[in-house]
Amino acid sequence: MAAHIGRRLRKGAATTAVAAAAVAALSASQAPGATVDDQGRQSTGDATSAPDTAADDSATGNSPYYTDLPPLNSPSPSPSAGSGDAGDQRAGEAGIPATVLDAYKQAEATLREKKPGCNLPWQLLAAIGKVESGQARGGRVTADGTTVTPILGPQLDGNGFALIRDTDNGAYDGNRMYDQAVGPMQFIPSTWDWAGRDGNGDGRKDPNNIYDAALAAGHYLCRFDWDLSQQGDLRKAILSYNNSTDYLNTVLSWLEFYRRGTHEIPDGTGALPVDRSDDTARPGVTPSAPGTTPPARPGKPSGSRPSPSPAAPGNGGSPSTPPVTPPPATPPTPTDTVHHLEDAGTGTLTAMAGHTFAERVSTRAETEAGKAVAKVRIRFTLVGDTDTTFTGGETVATVTTDASGVAVAPALQAGERTGAFAVQAAVVGRSVKGVPYRATVTARAADALALAGEKEPTCVAGGEFAEPVQVKATYRGEAAGKVAVTATLVTSADDPAENDKGPYFKDADGKAVRSLTGLKTDADGQLTLPKLYADDTAGTFLLRLTTAGGATLDVKLTVEPAAAPSPEPDPSTDPAPSTDPAPSTDPSTDPSETPAA
């Protein structure tokens, strides 16, 4: 039933009507400045933000895709709905196999944390998964999300498809002649090589695992800092996955359908798509099974040559055999003419942690004779133990050479990890010697330190400083955040040795220390030192602060003598007590009381 309805929806004007209706529900118009060429491919006037969507630089290599459209009616998100075999087409199409659905939702959650500005909806991954592989062939996956059998697109040999010669030595697709799209999200090997992710935490990046592939697709769609809640950015992202307006409209149709409701169904019970975008190009050939390589075109078996025409009677009645006309040679592409890459004047690649590199990597593509080659895609890849990225947070960037054969990589944004790493430049779709560029990230630094506040710190001997010392670090006039600072109480301005008396800090055990390391300024370049104490030594002391980059500041600390205590009375200076006897009160000794003779 599902197959029958799928075919019915694809025929004639119904295809255009259904796609247009679904797309109109999302947007009334195309992105500003959008144009469509004679191959049905869309581009926009925003050349600076749109990606290079050549076949071998898109996620799928512009491989064929399933063109089945969702039902015209909204889905019925009933938890009890089956896979569509019971006759309810809407319920069947809305069901997504449990493991596949979980992979989409996990990818959305990860991207919400890693790239919140992208606003990736899991329904977009579901729409692409539907169009690329019919949700991993109806959810035929193992418990860890790996497809039961590999899903391969046709070999991209230029015979009706893009021409992408082998880039992985057959590691992913088993084909050492040409590349093929691989897995439920149909990545070509050269794209998976940098876009692949480990989505199920098993330590591997497997394009045939739906968790890995869904997370990779999410990162791919978010790689240009697009906001997928904006219609223009959403369209650009989908077109970068497969550069076809028909593909865009089909994905948008399923996106709108899934947004209106969906539900989980058992693995392996999903409805399989029927029609594929390349089926019409092969008259007389049975449409290929989901996820398999279509057969060769009729009359052009692989490795065969055209048969000569049968003999025809000539003027004398004798048969003649017309000569066999060889097929015209395929003209070389610009990529085919590249012999080597050269550095195009890249300066020293050095930046402080957290800062943008002033220099950008610049590479020139040349022929064997040294002539510039334009319109060649150069892939720049970061190699080594580094958290530096290109603008936008990616570790790989692809840029097309200009008329002078030069490709300039996006600016590098240094992370917090210091040390050396490399930027490797290589030609996309051709094995020629690349150009490595050495880059270095140095520690954060400051070139100036200033004391916050106007008063110099003061306290009394044996006491503690009431206010902590506060400083601000700057670099080239801007706040220097996260800069390491060392604080030492030095002997004098000329003697940087640690002082053994005067003010001091306390360690975690409360012991006196006169040197501190591991201090860092905050994001605004400010630092508040721990509390300072003073021993019994009065005088003027120096606190020296130093940073990476050479900034130094001496802070004057004044310790005033403690106030003198009140003196105790000296007994030796007190008046002596009187030694005269007290007047007698005995009348017998008082002359005035002597009786008369």
Side-chain angles (χ1 to χ4, degrees):
M1 175 62 74
H4 172 74
I5 296 175
R7 291 191 182 92
R8 177 175 58 81
L9 289 174
R10 303 303 307 168
K11 303 303 179 182
T15 299
T16 303
V18 174
V23 174
L26 280 173
S27 172
S29 62
Q30 293 186 356
T35 59
V36 180
D37 64 17
D38 57 359
Q39 300 299 318
R41 301 176 187 271
Q42 185 185 58
S43 60
T44 68
D46 186 2
T48 59
S49 61
D52 175 7
T53 52
D56 55 349
D57 195 37
S58 66
T60 69
N62 296 333
S63 294
Y65 56 91
Y66 289 108
T67 56
D68 299 60
L69 289 171
L72 289 174
N73 296 324
S74 299
S76 176
S78 170
S80 61
S83 63
D85 295 335
D88 188 345
Q89 184 204 9
R90 291 176 299 168
E93 294 290 359
I96 298 178
T99 299
V100 178
L101 180 60
D102 183 58
Y104 297 149
K105 291 185 176 181
Q106 282 198 29
E108 179 198 55
T110 300
L111 268 297
R112 190 186 303 122
E113 176 185 353
K114 299 293 184 182
K115 294 188 176 182
C118 181
N119 293 309
L120 172 78
W122 68 261
Q123 292 92 340
L124 176 59
L125 298 176
I128 291 176
K130 178 70 174 180
V131 169
E132 293 295 347
S133 67
Q135 310 300 17
R137 293 178 181 165
R140 287 162 178 80
V141 296
T142 60
D144 70 346
T146 303
T147 57
V148 175
T149 56
I151 300 177
L152 294 175
Q155 68 176 18
L156 300 175
D157 56 7
N159 191 16
F161 308 117
L163 173 60
I164 305 179
R165 296 185 176 90
D166 177 57
T167 61
D168 65 330
N169 199 31
Y172 294 118
D173 54 16
N175 190 335
R176 296 188 179 184
M177 291 289 292
Y178 301 97
D179 272 350
Q180 295 176 245
V182 182
M185 303 304 277
Q186 289 290 277
F187 279 96
I188 55 174
S190 58
T191 301
W192 181 262
D193 190 52
W194 62 265
R197 295 293 193 277
D198 177 15
N200 63 350
D202 64 356
R204 300 173 60 242
K205 300 176 183 178
D206 182 3
N208 285 298
N209 182 279
I210 186 59
Y211 287 98
D212 295 358
L215 184 58
H219 276 280
Y220 186 91
L221 294 166
C222 293
R223 72 195 186 285
F224 284 103
D225 282 344
W226 284 322
D227 180 356
L228 302 188
S229 66
Q230 301 297 317
Q231 187 65 13
D233 284 357
L234 174 65
R235 298 174 70 89
K236 291 177 185 177
I238 297 172
L239 284 169
S240 78
Y241 208 89
N242 189 312
N243 192 25
S244 161
T245 303
D246 287 341
Y247 179 89
L248 168 70
N249 291 338
T250 305
V251 170
L252 288 176
S253 299
W254 283 105
L255 171 60
E256 175 64 13
F257 182 76
Y258 287 139
R259 275 178 166 167
R260 292 178 180 175
T262 185
H263 58 275
E264 176 185 303
I265 60 176
D267 289 344
T269 64
L272 295 177
V274 175
D275 298 313
R276 233 168 61 158
S277 60
D278 60 326
D279 288 338
T280 57
R282 300 173 181 235
V285 178
T286 302
S288 51
T292 61
T293 301
R297 285 171 174 72
K300 293 185 179 181
S302 177
S304 67
R305 298 176 59 87
S307 302
S309 300
N315 291 335
S318 60
S320 63
T321 301
V324 176
T325 303
T330 302
T333 66
T335 300
D336 293 331
T337 66
V338 177
H339 178 266
H340 60 272
L341 296 179
E342 293 285 347
D343 175 34
T346 305
T348 303
L349 295 170
T350 302
M352 188 187 304
H355 288 239
T356 301
F357 282 70
E359 285 286 329
R360 294 168 67 177
V361 177
S362 182
T363 301
R364 175 181 163 96
E366 297 182 354
T367 64
E368 187 173 6
K371 184 179 179 181
V373 184
K375 299 182 180 180
V376 174
R377 286 168 298 285
I378 306 298
R379 177 172 294 124
F380 299 95
T381 306
L382 303 187
V383 181
D385 185 17
T386 182
D387 56 354
T388 295
T389 64
F390 291 109
T391 301
E394 296 295 338
T395 58
V396 177
T398 303
V399 181
T400 302
T401 57
D402 59 17
S404 62
V406 174
V408 180
L412 288 167
Q413 178 65 42
E416 296 301 322
R417 194 171 301 162
T418 60
F421 64 97
V423 182
Q424 183 72 35
V427 179
V428 176
R430 184 168 173 80
S431 297
V432 299
K433 186 177 181 180
V435 180
Y437 296 84
R438 180 182 173 86
T440 305
V441 177
T442 60
R444 289 177 179 265
D447 55 17
L449 280 171
L451 183 66
E454 299 178 355
K455 294 182 179 180
E456 293 181 342
T458 303
C459 84
V460 177
E464 58 185 51
F465 288 80
E467 297 294 333
V469 175
Q470 293 181 317
V471 296
K472 182 169 183 176
T474 56
Y475 182 78
R476 297 180 180 178
E478 300 291 333
K482 301 181 182 179
V483 174
V485 178
T486 298
T488 305
L489 290 147
V490 298
T491 302
S492 68
D494 300 323
D495 185 357
E498 184 179 299
N499 206 336
D500 60 357
K501 57 185 177 181
Y504 60 90
F505 300 105
K506 287 183 179 180
D507 63 12
D509 297 325
K511 296 180 180 179
V513 292
R514 291 185 167 86
S515 183
L516 292 178
T517 59
L519 303 172
K520 279 191 177 182
T521 60
D522 62 18
D524 297 323
Q526 296 184 349
L527 171 66
T528 299
L529 272 65
K531 183 183 287 292
L532 276 164
Y533 302 86
D535 61 13
D536 294 335
T537 307
T540 301
F541 301 89
L542 284 182
L543 170 63
R544 178 161 294 173
L545 304 173
T546 58
T547 72
T552 302
L553 174 66
D554 285 344
V555 180
K556 181 180 177 182
L557 304 177
T558 301
V559 180
E560 298 175 347
S566 301
E568 295 290 336
D570 186 352
S572 63
T573 61
D574 288 346
S578 175
T579 57
D580 294 339
S584 175
T585 57
D586 186 353
S588 63
T589 61
D590 187 353
S592 63
E593 298 293 332
T594 302

